[in-house]
Amino acid sequence: STRIELISGEPVARVRFTSDRGVQLFSAAVRHRLGEVLDELEGLPRCRVVVFEASGRTFIAGADIHELRTLNVTTARELAAAGQALMNRIAALPAVTIAAVHAACAGGGCELALACDLRMAARAARIGLPEVSLGVIPGWGGTVRAVRLFGGAAARRLILTGELLPAEEALRLGIVDSLAADDAFRERVEERVQLLLSRGPAACRHSKRLIAAFEGGAAGGPPAAVGPKTATGRPPLATDFESEAVAFGECFASGEAAEGLAAFLEKRPAVWT
């Protein structure tokens, strides 16, 4: 069975998936446990980076096929809604989230990765949404996020073929943002974590919130600022610019900008409070 361990810490927390066979599945019990882990993460206000990682033959291989076979129209819709809510909670975490994909990442595992801010892959990794090969579609936000994050062409490649893409192709399509040799992968992930910790905490939170809003909520964050809507349902561009200007001002209200600018001029690392 699949286990989830939360290695909690501030400023970095790790959510680690393991199993005896090295093949992690998103069973009902695992989804319940992930909800508990998210409860804990949401209670860590000083956590700045969350790394989702695994060991063994897969990152996460997707849902439990035996459970899917028991579904009907009503229970399938309920499962989709619950899975979407779970992934949206990951996306809405104020901390920057990293999916450290070291091996096969399929179905629900891919949808978890898409809910993260950053996706790093080892060369051995393969990533995809193979649901169409089972006669279903990605139902935990995968179709929505794939289109909004990567555009229609990459989403079609990912969803309609149902193939697990090699890491190099996933990088070319923008599905992962970095690629590392297998033996250096964990080191590259730690370097990314340290880079994020060197950046302004409030600035990262503001940036994450705004990007999610400007994507149309693809990352599960709050909607863009309240205002008149265009024909597409999005606020007009002027509203987006106003949201950005307000957040820019808040960086100065917190004192973070003063420290960052002083550190740059004094040629020293910033000390964030």
Side-chain angles (χ1 to χ4, degrees), residues 243-273:
S243 298
E244 182 184 75
V246 169
F248 184 75
E250 289 175 358
C251 293
F252 287 83
S254 69
E256 188 168 292
E259 168 58 15
L261 294 168
F264 178 83
L265 292 174
E266 296 165 14
K267 297 180 172 55
R268 61 172 175 80
V271 179
W272 309 114
T273 57

Side-chain angles (χ1 to χ4, degrees), residues 1-263:
S1 62
T2 300
R3 299 174 294 275
I4 305 178
E5 178 185 11
L6 174 61
I7 305 171
S8 59
E10 294 174 326
V12 182
R14 301 174 195 279
V15 181
R16 184 170 298 160
F17 291 76
T18 60
S19 65
D20 295 336
R21 297 187 300 116
V23 178
Q24 286 69 244
L25 296 176
F26 254 135
S27 65
V30 171
R31 295 193 301 274
H32 177 76
R33 171 58 182 151
L34 180 57
E36 294 177 336
V37 167
L38 291 171
D39 289 340
E40 294 184 58
L41 287 173
E42 289 163 353
L44 296 175
R46 291 186 295 277
C47 180
R48 296 187 50 203
V49 180
V50 179
V51 181
F52 290 86
E53 60 187 17
S55 61
R57 292 186 287 161
T58 70
F59 173 67
I60 303 173
D64 187 320
I65 300 297
H66 298 292
E67 291 182 0
L68 294 181
R69 293 189 68 190
T70 69
L71 299 177
N72 57 38
V73 172
T74 300
T75 56
R77 184 169 181 172
E78 292 170 349
L79 173 63
Q84 290 166 356
L86 200 58
M87 299 307 160
N88 287 343
R89 288 181 67 189
I90 292 173
L93 288 170
V96 178
T97 50
I98 299 174
V101 183
H102 76 291
C105 174
C110 181
E111 290 177 295
L112 183 149
L114 297 187
C116 290
D117 299 310
L118 302 170
R119 287 165 291 281
M120 304 182 68
R123 288 198 175 274
R126 294 179 298 144
I127 187 165
L129 294 167
E131 283 85 349
V132 292
S133 67
L134 302 174
V136 296
I137 67 168
W140 293 349
T143 50
V144 177
R145 286 195 170 89
V147 172
R148 292 189 173 184
L149 295 174
F150 317 126
R156 290 182 180 92
R157 176 75 178 89
L158 192 64
I159 295 170
L160 295 179
T161 68
E163 295 178 315
L164 294 187
L165 305 181
E168 291 83 356
E169 185 171 1
L171 179 66
R172 179 178 63 80
L173 292 173
I175 296 167
V176 299
D177 66 82
S178 67
L179 188 60
D182 297 339
D183 59 359
F185 178 61
R186 301 296 180 186
E187 182 181 350
R188 296 288 90 79
V189 171
E190 294 312 306
E191 288 174 357
R192 177 69 62 84
V193 168
Q194 294 305 313
L195 177 66
L196 291 167
L197 293 179
S198 73
R199 303 325 192 200
C204 285
R205 289 195 299 273
H206 287 310
S207 298
K208 174 170 175 168
R209 175 177 56 82
L210 290 173
I211 290 167
F214 300 156
E215 283 175 342
V226 174
K229 305 289 185 178
T230 65
T232 63
R234 289 276 294 117
L237 195 58
T239 303
D240 286 347
F241 283 132
E242 174 63 18
S243 298
E244 182 184 75
V246 169
F248 184 75
E250 289 175 358
C251 293
F252 287 83
S254 69
E256 188 168 292
E259 168 58 15
L261 294 168

